[in-house]
Amino acid sequence: MSLFRRSKKAQATEIDPTTDEGIVGLFYSILGEIVDDFATAATDHLGRVHEPGGLAREKQRRDFMELGMDRSYLDALDDMEFTVDGAISVPQMGVRNRGTAVVVTRWTARGVHARPLDGVEPTGEQVTIEGMNYTTFRNFNIRSEYTYWHVVEFTRRMVER
Amino acid sequence: MRSFGDSLRLRESTIWVHALHGDPIKGKSKREVREELGLVSEDEEAKLSEFMGFDLMSLKAVVENPTPHGMPLAYLDGLAHMHISNASRQTTDGVVVLRFEVVGEHAHPILGVQPTGRNVTVAGITWLKFDEQPTPEGGLLFTCTDYWAYWDLPALMEQIGATP
């Protein structure tokens, strides 16, 4: 039923490319690798973005459009720890669409609130940021990235008041 | 899940976003009307079913009270005359991701801010997780068990003249 489950099965068994089944298995095996490659590229990129000065460095390597919300938390937090909670990778398989994909990543970042963040004065306390990125690739490079995030503690306080 | 994704149309994902926003779409779809009238479908779903070797009509997906994660959809109580749209959709194993936009009038308090009567736009993203179960009829039922939503809170607060 699932391409990706087939791909794992194909990877687990020996593939004989001289048979129809083998060719199909090979296709799914390659697809699985492409899916993993894009997911790894996007999550590694996000990991680097969350290092000190990381966003500027990433944009210097290969510029891309930043869409959605401004990532103002990057400048406001110190000692940030970044964790990927989940990612999906959807590559385009057409020959003309080689290198085109969308990767969506759910993540959590923790850090010390050391500088003003969206009008909130620094508290010196550890805060948790949760968010999601929608990263598009063209020609195997990041073309655009939507970012949506919130500070869990701030949102909770706003909802409760 | 890929087969589910292939058969997933914009209408279905729009229905889900409306369901998550407490504003369910009512009325029958063109497909339901065609089924009721016994018309032979020649649309892309029928062609896809033939191509894939099984009946895609036997696949159903439901979004009913999934467990929420991420940001609460706190703007819902404050907006009237909402228009909800999908900006894009991605589907893979057990997950559907939708980027959405909600336009509405600030008619009731939102996060403690009194109504301004302004028209506001809220953009966000939601990740819906589905579980797959076979049905007694031999089909498959995809049930949304959890969803994660993140949306642009600072932009909304700015539009209604509030500060965090």
Side-chain angles (χ1 to χ4, degrees):
Chain A
M1 186 61 65
S2 157
L3 284 188
F4 305 106
R5 266 173 256 159
R6 282 185 202 174
S7 93
K8 283 171 192 160
K9 192 177 169 188
Q11 283 171 6
T13 55
E14 247 180 60
I15 292 166
D16 176 4
T18 59
T19 64
D20 286 352
E21 269 192 1
I23 291 167
V24 171
L26 193 59
F27 170 80
Y28 287 123
S29 172
I30 293 168
L31 175 61
E33 284 178 25
I34 294 170
V35 165
D36 291 346
D37 284 350
F38 277 114
T40 304
T43 52
D44 285 355
H45 152 76
L46 286 174
R48 289 192 298 270
V49 162
H50 287 80
E51 293 167 359
L55 181 60
R57 273 199 305 278
E58 283 297 289
K59 288 186 75 75
Q60 210 167 20
R61 274 166 57 127
R62 183 78 69 172
D63 201 10
F64 55 90
M65 284 183 282
E66 279 210 80
L67 303 164
M69 295 170 66
D70 182 28
R71 293 188 243 208
S72 50
Y73 66 91
L74 290 174
D75 294 329
L77 303 189
D78 279 345
D79 303 328
M80 213 173 334
E81 286 174 22
F82 176 75
T83 313
V84 172
D85 300 322
I88 63 161
S89 169
V90 186
Q92 297 284 312
M93 294 308 290
V95 174
R96 287 183 183 176
N97 293 328
R98 253 169 26 127
T100 301
V102 172
V103 179
V104 185
T105 312
R106 278 195 296 112
W107 51 264
T108 304
R110 289 186 180 83
V112 178
H113 182 197
R115 285 168 291 282
L117 175 53
D118 287 344
V120 179
E121 289 302 311
T123 59
E125 290 178 2
Q126 187 159 65
V127 292
T128 306
I129 315 277
E130 287 180 350
M132 220 187 292
N133 278 85
Y134 183 105
T135 310
T136 63
F137 286 82
R138 296 279 184 283
N139 294 325
F140 301 99
N141 286 305
I142 294 174
R143 175 78 172 272
S144 67
E145 190 159 69
Y146 285 86
T147 306
Y148 291 98
W149 58 273
H150 76 137
V151 186
V152 175
E153 291 84 355
F154 293 1
T155 306
R156 192 180 301 141
R157 211 180 306 153
M158 290 181 79
V159 169
E160 284 170 0
R161 77 183 179 189
Chain B
M1 197 64 183
R2 181 58 178 227
S3 52
F4 166 50
D6 287 341
S7 67
L8 178 63
R9 293 185 196 174
L10 194 59
R11 179 179 164 84
E12 265 104 36
S13 47
T14 303
I15 288 169
W16 297 346
V17 173
H18 273 262
L20 288 178
H21 284 80
D23 179 30
I25 292 177
K26 291 173 183 149
K28 291 174 184 170
S29 68
K30 194 168 87 176
R31 188 178 79 187
E32 287 164 340
V33 173
R34 288 178 72 90
E35 277 175 358
E36 278 183 12
L37 295 174
L39 297 173
V40 177
S41 173
E42 291 179 355
D43 63 11
E44 63 179 52
E45 205 160 66
K47 287 178 189 168
L48 200 57
S49 295
E50 193 182 331
F51 174 74
M52 296 188 78
F54 65 91
D55 184 12
L56 286 172
M57 302 284 266
S58 66
L59 305 180
K60 299 280 181 207
V62 291
V63 178
E64 287 172 0
N65 302 317
T67 306
H69 305 272
M71 296 174 75
L73 303 177
Y75 51 84
L76 285 178
D77 294 338
L79 298 185
H81 312 301
M82 277 195 298
H83 176 74
I84 303 162
S85 56
N86 277 326
S88 72
R89 180 193 65 221
Q90 297 298 328
T91 312
T92 186
D93 258 3
V95 173
V96 177
V97 173
L98 307 167
R99 281 198 301 109
F100 65 86
E101 191 177 87
V102 178
V103 179
E105 182 192 339
H106 180 203
H108 309 283
I110 297 177
L111 297 170
V113 180
Q114 291 306 307
T116 59
R118 293 180 192 166
N119 283 319
V120 297
T121 303
V122 181
I125 190 165
T126 185
W127 170 301
L128 299 108
K129 182 181 162 211
F130 286 83
D131 261 359
E132 171 188 321
Q133 292 290 332
T135 62
E137 299 80 31
L140 284 172
L141 177 67
F142 297 90
T143 307
C144 181
T145 58
D146 298 81
Y147 79 94
W148 286 257
Y150 298 97
W151 50 278
D152 195 343
L153 172 61
L156 174 64
M157 298 309 270
E158 193 180 329
Q159 289 174 78
I160 59 178
T163 51

